[in-house]
């Protein structure tokens, strides 16, 4: 089983992960099929300053399919053991299907308006 988080707004990938309306959490079974879809509310404020990375880690998420994000947020998610694929766009389920078919690649681009603010995720 694998859990994937997608920052969501109006059924599409939100281009700025820290400002999304909510997260769609997709559970993928061992046959690479969507087994379950859940919604996780998004915290107020910027993603790199919230504890969303820790919440996602607690929920068992190991991958985020996202639009763009700053390096601070990317580093925070990475330190929580969450792999990030940036540059995703379009309807959430289309993005999940593309990932499951092996068609997605990380864009390698980060938003430049957030620096690396040194936030880290810690297991409690």
């Amino acid at each position: 089983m694998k859990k994937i988080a997608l920052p969501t707004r109006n059924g599409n990938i939100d281009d700025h992960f820290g400002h999304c309306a909510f997260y769609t959490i997709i559970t993928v079974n061992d046959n690479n099929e969507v087994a379950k879809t859940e919604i996780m509310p998004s915290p107020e404020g910027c993603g790199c300053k919230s504890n969303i990375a820790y919440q996602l880690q607690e929920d068992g998420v190991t991958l985020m399919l996202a639009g763009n994000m700053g390096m601070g947020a990317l580093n925070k998610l990475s330190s929580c053991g969450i792999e990030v694929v940036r540059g995703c766009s379009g309807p959430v389920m289309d993005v999940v299907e593309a990932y499951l078919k092996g068609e997605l690649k990380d864009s390698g681009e980060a938003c430049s308006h957030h620096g690396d603010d040194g936030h880290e995720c810690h297991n409690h």
Side-chain angles (χ1 to χ4, degrees):
M1 299 291 266
K2 178 178 202 156
K3 281 194 171 182
I4 304 169
L6 300 98
T8 307
R9 181 178 300 277
N10 300 325
N12 291 314
I13 296 286
D14 193 312
D15 194 45
H16 194 298
F17 122 94
H19 298 164
C20 66
F22 58 88
Y23 293 89
T24 302
I25 309 295
I26 304 289
T27 302
V28 177
N29 67 21
D30 294 337
N31 294 326
N32 227 22
E33 299 164 340
V34 174
K36 189 166 144 190
T37 303
E38 304 166 88
I39 300 298
M40 178 185 284
S42 176
E44 291 294 314
C46 179
C48 62
K49 294 180 176 55
S50 75
N51 66 346
I52 189 61
Y54 180 69
Q55 287 177 297
L56 292 169
Q57 181 188 41
E58 284 283 287
D59 197 44
V61 170
T62 56
L63 174 68
M64 179 177 285
L65 303 178
N68 282 315
M69 69 179 62
M71 286 308 295
L74 183 65
N75 291 339
K76 190 171 186 183
L77 288 161
S78 296
S79 72
C80 286
I82 299 172
E83 178 189 351
V84 178
V85 176
R86 294 164 293 178
C88 301
S89 64
V92 166
M93 293 313 293
D94 289 359
V95 173
V96 171
E97 291 298 324
Y99 171 76
L100 294 177
K101 290 178 189 169
E103 296 171 356
L104 292 185
K105 301 249 185 308
D106 182 54
S107 69
E109 294 173 17
C111 297
S112 58
H113 61 275
H114 290 296
D116 180 358
D117 50 16
H119 286 307
E120 288 185 19
C121 203
H122 298 285
N123 291 327
H124 296 288

